[in-house]
Amino acid sequence: MPELEDPLEIGGVELPNRLYRAPLLECAGEGSDAADRLRSELEPAAESGAGLVFQGAAPVRESGGRVAPSMTGFADDEFVAGLSELTDAVHDHGGRIFVQLDHGGLRSLEAWHAEYRRANPDLRQLAVSRPPWPLRLLDRLGFLHFDARVLTTAEVYDLAADFGRAAARAADAGYDGIHLAGANMGMLQQFLSPFYNRRDDEFADGVRFLELVHDEIRERAGDLPLVVKVPAETETPPFVRRRLSADDAVEICERLGRVGYDAVAPVRVSTFWDMSIVRGEFPERAWRDERFREGYAAAFGSRWRAALVAAANRAEAVVYDFDAAWNADLARRVRERVSIPVLLEGGIRTREQIDELLGDSSGGDTGISPACDAVGMGRPFYAEPRLPARLLREERGQRGELEREGAYER
Ligand SMILES: Cc1cc2nc3c(=O)[nH]c(=O)nc-3n(C[C@H](O)[C@H](O)[C@H](O)COP(=O)(O)O)c2cc1C
């Protein structure tokens, strides 16, 4: 069975090992310091040995479709070209870097961020279909604001082309591959999910949109490896009947493999944008920190609304308690059915766990098949930016090298 230190090929690109930094929003913005900010977030992961770094979600359009403030868009040629210093830096450390392309659709800032909406009064959310009733209810109650415009068939084609254009910019700037934000309630999930997708054109089958995005990327950016997160909406509250089951997610992964995707990252999520993607303790410090209070009030419209969102977040942390390697069973099912690499992330924390997930049988044959071909971590990188140095084995010489460079002390 492969070990964490063994190389892995994704779509013809070789990763030096099977440890990746999962996509996490860097909030580096689009200013003249964006490349530096991204570099300070991402380079330590590559420098300390991560085989692959996924840059967090990057909107494919100049305006609209941004899911959070200060995102780094991939819609401007000159700006993206300037990120080559980031890709060069990662390559100098022997690592690979993919960027995750995104459009938020109904999840965009213009639906939930009060201050952003005031500053951009003409922006309407792009939607796969009319927003489902729970979202319309939240709109009525004043917690969200929907002024959605359902995409025509021609506009769906335009949107897919924008993914292709953004991928071409990434290729020119030296990125090694593309990741697509297929989960976290973004536009791709909205196409795939029967909760959102009530269309009656060719895109009633949401995989068709991902097929089109694939074709656009291939046409405009060549053979860059293409990875996508695939959602199973197993964490959805019971009052939502139409959702993607784990069986659906497995089938979607199989179809995407046939379409030509080079790797999949299956994740168990909800139909909503909630804590199911980042299970664990309530982030008390983030909510209590005085420095952020004004920002929360601006985003949610007032201090008391921000307090309500914090309370909902606290309740969700109870429902979506930390669960070690919570996507492992789903990933294992997918891996049994596809011939492309399966990436696994979510609640993975120790080397022992990683070895088990990759199928290490040195402790005796467990009879359990490997869950994945590569393992990713997200939040641990916040606490320990040079985490790979600790997880990758010493005998490969990496540790000695890093110690000489002082990577552990920084
Ligand atoms: C602050 C934050 C930002 C995230 N941003 C993204 C993102 O841009 N795209 C994405 O697909 N997942 C995103 N995720 C999810 C992570 O990629 C990862 O799946 C999740 O954190 C679970 O892994 P972990 O337990 O190792 O943190 C984000 C998670 C966090 C905490």
Side-chain angles (χ1 to χ4, degrees):
M1 286 301 169
E3 297 193 19
L4 188 61
E5 290 74 11
D6 290 334
L8 173 70
E9 198 183 292
I10 297 186
V13 163
E14 189 172 275
L15 314 181
N17 59 53
R18 291 162 184 251
L19 181 63
Y20 68 89
R21 184 256 195 203
L24 293 174
L25 289 177
E26 295 84 15
C27 299
E30 293 167 316
S32 53
D33 60 347
D36 284 346
R37 294 177 69 171
L38 284 169
R39 209 172 146 175
S40 71
E41 283 287 320
L42 301 174
E43 191 178 355
E47 186 186 14
S48 58
L52 175 59
V53 174
F54 286 121
Q55 186 174 319
V60 296
R61 285 198 165 163
E62 198 77 60
S63 74
R66 283 147 194 270
V67 299
S70 304
M71 288 179 85
T72 304
F74 263 50
D76 182 84
D77 292 346
E78 201 182 327
F79 172 79
V80 178
L83 299 180
S84 60
E85 68 174 79
L86 164 69
T87 57
D88 285 348
V90 169
H91 295 152
D92 286 347
H93 298 297
R96 303 287 192 179
I97 179 165
F98 291 19
V99 62
Q100 187 185 59
L101 300 181
D102 186 33
H103 190 290
L106 289 176
R107 192 198 138 171
S108 304
L109 283 171
E110 47 271 30
W112 66 268
H113 197 292
E115 191 178 63
Y116 184 84
R117 205 167 45 240
R118 270 197 300 277
N120 298 276
D122 299 330
L123 269 185
R124 296 175 67 187
Q125 309 86 32
L126 296 187
V128 172
S129 304
R130 183 177 180 227
W133 71 263
L135 299 188
R136 296 205 305 273
L137 180 65
L138 287 170
D139 180 325
R140 286 251 176 107
L141 295 173
F143 286 101
L144 293 174
H145 175 90
F146 287 110
D147 181 19
R149 197 163 60 76
V150 176
L151 291 159
T152 63
T153 305
E155 286 170 342
V156 175
Y157 275 84
D158 289 344
L159 182 60
D162 281 340
F163 275 89
R165 290 186 192 100
R169 289 179 199 110
D172 289 346
Y175 285 84
D176 301 290
I178 300 296
H179 190 313
L180 295 176
N184 309 1
M185 200 192 137
M187 184 66 101
L188 269 63
Q189 182 177 345
Q190 290 163 37
F191 267 100
L192 292 172
S193 170
F195 177 63
Y196 291 98
N197 189 337
R198 316 275 170 122
R199 295 182 71 92
D200 54 14
D201 62 0
E202 65 185 288
F203 299 106
D205 169 12
V207 176
R208 171 74 194 112
F209 180 63
L210 273 81
E211 186 181 18
L212 186 62
V213 169
H214 164 274
D215 295 349
E216 288 287 351
I217 292 177
R218 289 279 181 259
E219 193 183 313
R220 294 167 195 271
D223 282 337
L224 275 192
L226 195 48
V227 179
V228 59
K229 271 195 190 179
V230 177
E233 295 172 334
T234 52
E235 312 311 298
T236 304
F239 64 83
V240 174
R241 295 235 195 84
R242 296 167 59 124
R243 62 174 83 182
L244 290 170
S245 65
D247 287 351
D248 294 329
V250 173
E251 196 194 313
I252 290 170
C253 290
E254 276 189 282
R255 287 185 62 193
L256 294 176
R258 288 199 294 274
V259 161
Y261 278 80
D262 298 300
V264 284
V267 286
R268 283 169 43 207
V269 293
S270 167
T271 43
F272 300 109
W273 176 21
D274 58 23
M275 293 275 289
S276 60
I277 60 157
V278 287
R279 294 158 213 230
E281 274 176 38
F282 174 63
E284 182 98 45
R285 268 197 304 166
W287 281 107
R288 291 214 179 284
D289 194 319
E290 268 305 324
R291 287 171 302 168
F292 304 144
R293 288 257 167 116
E294 285 309 311
Y296 293 141
F300 300 115
S302 67
R303 283 205 168 214
W304 75 265
R305 277 163 182 269
L308 268 182
V309 176
N313 191 177
R314 189 184 286 277
E316 282 186 23
V318 176
V319 178
Y320 300 118
D321 204 3
F322 188 77
D323 182 10
W326 66 76
N327 293 311
D329 289 346
L330 175 66
R332 186 173 283 112
R333 285 190 57 195
V334 170
R335 196 170 179 279
E336 281 162 8
R337 300 272 289 275
V338 300
S339 52
I340 50 178
V342 175
L343 313 187
L344 176 62
E345 63 201 44
I348 300 168
R349 298 292 179 265
T350 66
R351 175 67 201 237
E352 204 182 359
Q353 236 179 352
I354 291 173
D355 290 340
E356 264 178 43
L357 294 165
L358 288 171
D360 177 18
S361 51
S362 54
D365 189 357
T366 56
I368 304 174
S369 58
C372 59
D373 300 284
V375 171
M377 293 190 194
R379 288 164 293 174
F381 277 95
Y382 288 136
E384 196 181 351
R386 289 182 167 73
L387 161 80
R390 187 166 55 76
L391 292 172
L392 292 159
R393 286 229 172 93
E394 296 174 26
E395 57 260 38
R396 301 275 165 131
Q398 204 137 19
R399 189 179 177 97
E401 231 170 74
L402 285 159
E403 265 171 356
R404 275 195 298 286
E405 289 169 10
Y408 289 90
E409 284 92 59
R410 269 178 266 162

